[in-house]
Amino acid sequence: EDEELRSELEKHHPVAYGWALHCCGRNPGEAEDVLQTAYLRILGGKARLNGSSSFRTWLFAVVRNTAADRQRSWWRRLVR
C-alpha cells in the first residue's frame, strides 16, 4: 500500500505543485514547503484517503489545508 501511495504521489506531483503554487499566492518557495509538509502528512499517516473522493481530489484538499494551516500559523506569529 505504501508503494502504491508513493506511486500516486509521483504521478500527481506536477498538478499538486501547480495547486500548491495557487494556494500560496504564486510563491514557489512557500509552495515547495507546503507540498513537502503535505507529503509528510500523507506518508506519515496523518492524512488518510477514506475512499469518498478520488485520489486527486483528496490530495488537493490535503495541500489546500496544509497551506491554510501555514497561513494561520504565520498570522498568529505576526499578531503576537
Side-chain angles (χ1 to χ4, degrees), residues 11-26:
K11 183 172 101 175
H12 288 88
H13 179 74
V15 293
Y17 177 70
W19 178 239
L21 268 175
H22 174 78
C23 292
C24 295
R26 311 302 292 170

Side-chain angles (χ1 to χ4, degrees), residues 42-56:
I42 292 167
L43 294 171
K46 292 182 180 176
R48 295 182 182 260
L49 179 61
N50 63 13
S52 65
S53 61
S54 71
F55 182 87
R56 181 178 167 145

Side-chain angles (χ1 to χ4, degrees), residues 9 13 16-42 59-72 74:
L9 288 174
H13 179 74
Y17 177 70
W19 178 239
L21 268 175
H22 174 78
C23 292
C24 295
R26 311 302 292 170
N27 180 325
E30 185 70 16
E32 290 170 8
D33 289 346
V34 162
L35 200 54
Q36 181 178 20
T37 302
Y39 287 169
L40 289 172
R41 285 180 178 179
I42 292 167
L59 175 59
F60 277 30
V62 173
V63 171
R64 183 189 65 240
N65 291 337
T66 302
D69 289 347
R70 287 179 61 90
Q71 187 175 32
R72 276 191 298 274
W74 182 83

